[in-house]
């Protein structure tokens, strides 16, 4: 894709600074710590100051949902405006679109490969002693991935915008309108650019409330779930964490080789989005913050940030893919079944599909995991065993999902930053080669 936006305008957009500075990360971090402390206190007693703790925890849950709901509501207009703007102003080349698809597939396959290798090496399922689950009933809703995909085709033009989880439907609309608007670029460009700035400003306002929402969410989960289950499922938890860390190392290596920012710079610029992914467990809710950090803190081109963090993000859930493959192997180890190479290949294929089908919301991966289990004849009921640690591992894999989108954006941005490119072009104009 070649950006045709006038150079001075691009540079001006690029230099736009983050108005809130760098303190959000710290605020969220302090809120998480305070949430853990209060959650442990509330979880350990039935009443506090004469008030039922269950009621207090319920209040925390409801109040935190409101803020996160606001952010999720902003994700769809952001996608609509940013993606149609990019498509209207860019010269899309098939080779570049193919590059995006290749990046998404190669990252997801690497994640699953890492997950399977780590699980085969550590084999935590051999040591875990867990009670047999109740096989007669399952708490899990089952999903048909095809049905889920078809549901994303918009039933009405405004439908996907109203339903903040239907980001794929919004992309369908944004792509169609973005291409159609190319003919009227001169009239529509300023309108879309201004709309994008306005949406980012509103996102900035809602972000101010995020530390409070984080405090309330963490208080609620720690108060209700506590930390005890980690001892029982410790081996599994540690093995998944090792897998996720190896995936992060892979991302950093790819960024180092294929993109202009240094890995440390990327992590620093993205830390607001990463702590937010951890504290909300939702990559869709985090999406507006991810986009904003990529543009305003890291300084990627709008086109790369939109393609990686808004379009690619919906198909790119590497953390979820890695987790689903590892979970299937873990349960089979506990059952004393050894999945052969053919079955592990089935796990790979179904984990790719299941991770693409997983929405960017908390615990979505647990639901699509039924697909992987069915493919290799594991009873989906056993997934309930993972519930106890899933609230924590979900947050960790959501961070990896977000970092995957960031990696794709960085690689799409190439080895030369927009700023360096502008300076180089300006020099060429000043001293044209003879
Ligand atoms: N919570 C994850 C996300 O939002 C999805 C999942 O794996 O459950 O990206």
């Amino acid at each position: 894709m070649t950006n045709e936006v006038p150079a001075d305008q691009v540079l001006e957009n690029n230099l736009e600074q983050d108005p809130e500075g760098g303190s959000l990360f710290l605020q969220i971090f302090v809120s998480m710590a305070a949430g853990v402390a209060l959650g442990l206190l509330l979880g350990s007693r039935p009443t506090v100051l004469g008030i039922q703790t269950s009621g207090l925890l319920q209040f925390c849950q409801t109040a935190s949902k409101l803020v996160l709901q606001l952010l999720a509501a902003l994700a769809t207009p952001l996608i609509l405006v940013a993606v149609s703007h990019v498509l209207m102003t860019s010269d899309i080349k098939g080779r570049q679109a193919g590059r995006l698809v290749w990046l998404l597939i190669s990252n997801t396959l690497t994640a699953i490969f890492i997950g399977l290798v780590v699980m085969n090496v550590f084999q935590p399922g051999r040591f875990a002693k867990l009670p047999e689950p109740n096989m007669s009933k399952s708490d899990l809703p089952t999903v048909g991935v095809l049905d889920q995909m078809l549901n994303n085709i918009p039933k009405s033009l405004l439908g996907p915008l109203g339903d903040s989880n239907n980001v794929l439907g919004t992309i369908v609309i944004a792509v169609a309108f973005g291409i159609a608007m190319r003919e009227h670029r001169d009239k529509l460009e300023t309108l879309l650019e201004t709309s994008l700035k306005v949406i980012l400003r509103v996102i900035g306002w809602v972000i101010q409330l995020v530390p409070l929402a984080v405090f309330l969410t963490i208080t609620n989960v720690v108060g209700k779930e506590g930390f005890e289950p980690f001892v029982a499922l410790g081996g599994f938890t540690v093995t998944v964490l090792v897998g996720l860390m190896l995936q992060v190392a892979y991302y950093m290596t790819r960024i180092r080789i294929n993109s202009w920012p240094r890995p440390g710079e990327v992590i620093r610029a993205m830390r607001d989005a990463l702590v937010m992914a951890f504290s909300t467990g939702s990559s869709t809710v985090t999406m507006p913050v991810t986009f904003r950090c990529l543009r305003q803190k890291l300084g990627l081109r709008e086109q790369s940030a939109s393609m990686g963090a808004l379009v690619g993000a919906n198909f790119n859930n590497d953390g979820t893919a890695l987790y689903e493959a590892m979970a299937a192997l873990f349960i089979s180890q506990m059952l004393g079944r050894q999945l052969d190479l053919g079955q592990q290949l089935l796990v790979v294929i179904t984990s790719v599909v299941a991770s693409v089908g997983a929405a960017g919301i908390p615990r979505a991966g647990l639901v699509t995991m039924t697909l992987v289990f069915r493919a290799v004849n594991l009873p989906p009921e056993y997934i309930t065993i993972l519930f106890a640690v899933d609230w924590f591992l979900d947050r960790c894999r959501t961070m990896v999902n977000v970092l995957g989108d960031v990696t794709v954006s960085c690689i799409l941005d190439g080895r030369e930053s927009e700023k360096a490119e502008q300076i180089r072009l300006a020099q060429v104009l000043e001293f044209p080669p003879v």
Side-chain angles (χ1 to χ4, degrees):
M1 282 167 238
T2 312
N3 206 324
E4 289 172 1
V5 177
D8 54 339
Q9 212 168 338
V10 172
L11 196 59
E12 183 197 310
N13 286 346
N14 194 30
L15 293 177
E16 223 171 76
Q17 281 308 305
D18 180 24
E20 272 93 46
S23 63
L24 181 69
F25 161 77
L26 213 64
Q27 288 174 29
I28 295 184
F29 209 73
V30 172
S31 307
M32 276 202 288
V36 169
L38 187 64
L40 287 176
L41 179 82
L42 293 182
S44 64
R45 53 192 70 188
T47 58
V48 169
L49 302 170
I51 308 170
Q52 294 275 340
T53 49
S54 57
L56 279 175
L57 292 176
Q58 192 55 43
F59 168 78
C60 291
Q61 189 180 8
T62 314
S64 67
K65 259 191 189 164
L66 290 178
V67 179
L68 302 183
Q69 219 164 284
L70 279 178
L71 267 181
L74 286 163
T76 39
L78 173 65
I79 291 172
L80 183 73
V81 176
V83 173
S84 48
H85 180 234
V86 160
L87 285 165
M88 183 180 75
T89 52
S90 306
D91 186 12
I92 311 253
K93 296 213 173 74
R95 220 172 129 242
Q96 294 290 336
R99 202 161 159 238
L100 173 66
V101 174
W102 162 244
L103 279 174
L104 300 183
I105 294 177
S106 61
N107 284 352
T108 306
L109 287 178
T110 306
I112 298 172
F113 178 73
I114 289 176
L116 290 181
V117 169
V118 173
M119 208 31 114
N120 276 310
V121 170
F122 284 75
Q123 305 219 356
R126 285 183 308 158
F127 309 109
K129 296 202 178 3
L130 291 165
E132 281 290 306
N134 179 0
M135 299 293 293
S136 60
K137 71 171 179 54
S138 166
D139 299 342
L140 288 162
T142 54
V143 281
V145 169
L146 189 67
D147 282 352
Q148 219 183 11
M149 290 286 180
L150 290 179
N151 275 343
N152 287 311
I153 297 175
K155 295 182 189 70
S156 71
L157 209 54
L158 296 179
L161 287 176
D163 171 6
S164 48
N165 278 330
N166 192 355
V167 278
L168 284 179
T170 310
I171 289 180
V172 172
I173 294 174
V175 169
F177 278 78
I179 294 172
M181 285 190 292
R182 291 166 80 92
E183 275 176 39
H184 308 283
R185 182 177 161 173
D186 50 333
K187 295 193 193 85
L188 292 169
E189 191 159 351
T190 319
L191 174 72
L192 282 194
E193 254 155 31
T194 316
S195 310
L196 193 57
K197 279 187 183 152
V198 170
I199 293 172
L200 284 173
R201 174 65 55 87
V202 178
I203 288 171
W205 291 340
V206 180
I207 284 177
Q208 313 273 333
L209 296 171
V210 164
L212 177 67
V214 167
F215 167 68
L216 295 169
T217 313
I218 299 288
T219 304
N220 176 49
V221 281
V222 173
K224 281 187 184 153
E225 318 270 354
F227 283 115
E228 289 85 6
F230 287 93
V231 182
L233 287 170
F236 175 66
T237 308
V238 171
T239 313
V240 172
L241 290 180
V242 170
L244 291 173
M245 280 191 286
L246 287 175
Q247 180 69 10
V248 172
Y250 160 78
Y251 287 149
M252 293 303 117
T253 312
R254 282 208 82 169
I255 289 179
R256 184 73 186 81
I257 297 171
N258 299 311
S259 183
W260 62 266
R262 300 271 150 167
E265 224 178 294
V266 174
I267 298 288
R268 220 169 308 121
M270 298 309 301
R271 58 189 184 182
D272 289 356
L274 294 175
V275 282
M276 201 167 151
F278 182 82
S279 49
T280 61
S282 168
S283 45
T284 298
V285 164
T286 309
M287 197 183 269
V289 183
T290 311
F291 180 77
R292 198 163 166 270
C293 289
L294 284 174
R295 286 286 292 138
Q296 295 179 335
K297 294 205 166 156
L298 196 55
L300 295 196
R301 294 166 179 85
E302 187 197 332
Q303 185 176 307
S304 332
S306 300
M307 283 300 162
L310 300 181
V311 178
N314 300 286
F315 309 98
N316 192 33
N317 293 313
D318 302 339
T320 304
L322 178 146
Y323 181 69
E324 301 204 348
M326 287 184 107
L329 227 63
F330 175 63
I331 300 286
S332 72
Q333 285 168 4
M334 284 203 301
L335 290 169
R337 292 190 208 167
Q338 206 59 44
L339 296 188
D340 61 29
L341 218 62
Q343 284 173 311
Q344 295 206 19
L345 195 68
L346 255 180
V347 170
V348 173
I349 296 167
T350 46
S351 296
V352 173
V353 178
S355 71
V356 170
I361 53 171
R363 297 186 156 198
L366 270 190
V367 178
T368 56
M369 198 185 279
T370 51
L371 188 91
V372 184
F373 273 53
R374 290 236 157 77
V376 285
N377 268 331
L378 289 170
E381 285 82 358
Y382 281 102
I383 294 174
T384 50
I385 292 174
L386 309 174
F387 273 27
V389 288
D390 190 68
W391 72 263
F392 175 72
L393 291 178
D394 181 21
R395 287 153 198 274
C396 299
R397 65 180 186 258
T398 306
M399 277 171 92
V400 172
N401 287 347
V402 169
L403 210 49
D405 307 333
V406 170
T407 305
V408 171
S409 300
C410 287
I411 297 175
L412 289 178
D413 212 55
R415 292 204 181 86
E416 186 178 40
S417 74
E418 188 172 27
K419 221 161 142 186
E421 188 188 6
Q422 300 297 335
I423 293 169
R424 185 172 52 77
L425 289 178
Q427 280 170 350
V428 171
L429 285 180
E430 208 174 324
F431 308 106
V434 264

